Amino acid sequence: MDILNYPFMERALIAAVLVGITAPAIGIYLVQRRQPLMGDGIGHVAMTGVGLGFLLNASPVWMATAVSALGSVLMELIRWYGKTRGDIALAMLFYGGMAGGVMFVNLAPGGSNANLSSYLFGSLSTVSQSDVTAIGILAGFVIVVTLGLRRQLFAVNHDEEFARVTGLPVRALNLLTAVTAAVTVTVAMRVVGLILVSALMVVPVAAAQQLTRSFAATLAIAGAIGVTVTVSGTVTSYYQNVPPGATIVLLTIAAFIVLTALATPLARRRARAAAAARPAGDPVECAIPATRGASDEVGV
């Protein structure tokens, strides 16, 4: 493949694989806690970090990581203590982050809004070796957290009260989830862009859920979908000269539609099989459910 003859495409493909793994890995917890748009909010805040990177002549990726992590902690604090004013505070945080990014970039020497384009929508040709190194380190952190603490994170995001009763540090784990989501946003911004990153965190998970309700299976399938669409979108953008971020998101949505279409007859077949296995004399409301393993639905 001639695509591998170009160093910038090699770097882009490495970044795409890392993004495809990490985005669904944290996205499954955001879906579980019913905060699918959290990544979008963090992306707004990360813009301030990118702008500060240009202004201070520092790495935009590392600066965005620091600022978005701080923003995610503030989001959690607002969620805990904001009460009725919480939505207003979050809105100010999100829009303030976007405005701050635009302002700082324009204050930077030789800066303009054009500098933000590759971070907002992703760019293949601008992924540098230092970006790949930063993305690799940050992706390693995300994978260690989401897989190493999957049981604890699952318990907290599934039922906070139960997790608290069992002695888990609920608030600490919630903060860790938020910070990990912030790190994932900065991992993905060079490939997908800050504006579209939330879709890559959520849609592969939703697509995987069309086939299975098991946590472990959903995580594995979502990761496979993530890698497939990011690599396919990166290759397509190279050959067709189309925006990589938009291409990846459209492929992700297409995967969701296809899997939904495939899952519908499968669900009907399972329902018919369950009905056939039910004793003929038992009404539906009195039927005894089939025995299942403990990991069939929530295996972690």
Side-chain angles (χ1 to χ4, degrees), residues 178-255:
V179 171
T180 305
V183 171
T184 305
V185 168
T186 57
V187 167
M189 70 180 180
R190 301 299 277 138
V191 175
V192 185
L194 294 172
I195 298 297
L196 300 173
V197 62
S198 187
L200 193 58
M201 297 168 73
V202 172
V203 179
V205 177
Q209 287 178 335
Q210 303 305 306
L211 300 179
T212 179
R213 288 294 182 267
S214 164
F215 180 87
T218 299
L219 182 59
I221 295 173
I225 294 171
V227 172
T228 301
V229 297
T230 52
V231 172
S232 300
T234 300
V235 173
T236 301
S237 67
Y238 170 77
Y239 285 110
Q240 301 299 322
N241 193 27
V242 291
T247 304
I248 290 170
V249 171
L250 289 175
L251 287 175
T252 308
I253 294 173

Side-chain angles (χ1 to χ4, degrees), residues 21-254:
I21 295 172
T22 55
I26 187 61
I28 192 171
Y29 299 106
L30 301 184
V31 171
Q32 189 182 5
R33 67 193 295 183
R34 294 179 176 85
Q35 291 182 321
L37 297 181
M38 185 177 182
D40 188 49
I42 294 174
H44 285 68
V45 176
M47 286 181 62
T48 293
V50 173
L52 278 174
F54 283 109
L55 181 63
L56 302 177
N57 196 27
S59 169
V61 174
W62 288 112
M63 192 63 70
T65 301
V67 172
S68 59
L70 177 60
S72 67
V73 171
L74 289 176
M75 289 169 63
E76 277 299 298
L77 293 177
I78 291 171
R79 188 171 73 90
W80 296 340
Y81 303 115
K83 298 181 181 179
T84 57
R85 298 283 183 177
D87 291 341
I88 297 175
L90 286 174
M92 289 191 293
L93 181 65
F94 296 163
Y95 298 130
M98 182 180 293
V102 174
M103 180 63 70
F104 289 139
V105 165
N106 280 274
L107 290 175
S112 69
N113 290 341
N115 296 103
L116 280 175
S117 178
S118 64
Y119 293 91
L120 289 174
F121 304 106
S123 175
L124 297 177
S125 60
T126 59
V127 178
S128 65
Q129 185 58 50
S130 61
D131 287 335
V132 173
T133 301
I135 290 171
I137 294 172
L138 295 173
F141 168 79
V142 173
I143 292 170
V144 167
V145 170
T146 54
L147 296 184
L149 297 176
R150 64 188 184 280
R151 296 183 183 276
Q152 293 87 337
L153 293 176
F154 175 85
V156 169
N157 290 292
H158 183 69
D159 190 336
E160 282 193 7
E161 293 303 320
F162 176 77
R164 188 173 287 108
V165 170
T166 60
L168 289 175
V170 172
R171 289 196 171 180
L173 289 170
N174 277 332
L175 283 174
L176 182 60
T177 301
V179 171
T180 305
V183 171
T184 305
V185 168
T186 57
V187 167
M189 70 180 180
R190 301 299 277 138
V191 175
V192 185
L194 294 172
I195 298 297
L196 300 173
V197 62
S198 187
L200 193 58
M201 297 168 73
V202 172
V203 179
V205 177
Q209 287 178 335
Q210 303 305 306
L211 300 179
T212 179
R213 288 294 182 267
S214 164
F215 180 87
T218 299
L219 182 59
I221 295 173
I225 294 171
V227 172
T228 301
V229 297
T230 52
V231 172
S232 300
T234 300
V235 173
T236 301
S237 67
Y238 170 77
Y239 285 110
Q240 301 299 322
N241 193 27
V242 291
T247 304
I248 290 170
V249 171
L250 289 175
L251 287 175
T252 308
I253 294 173

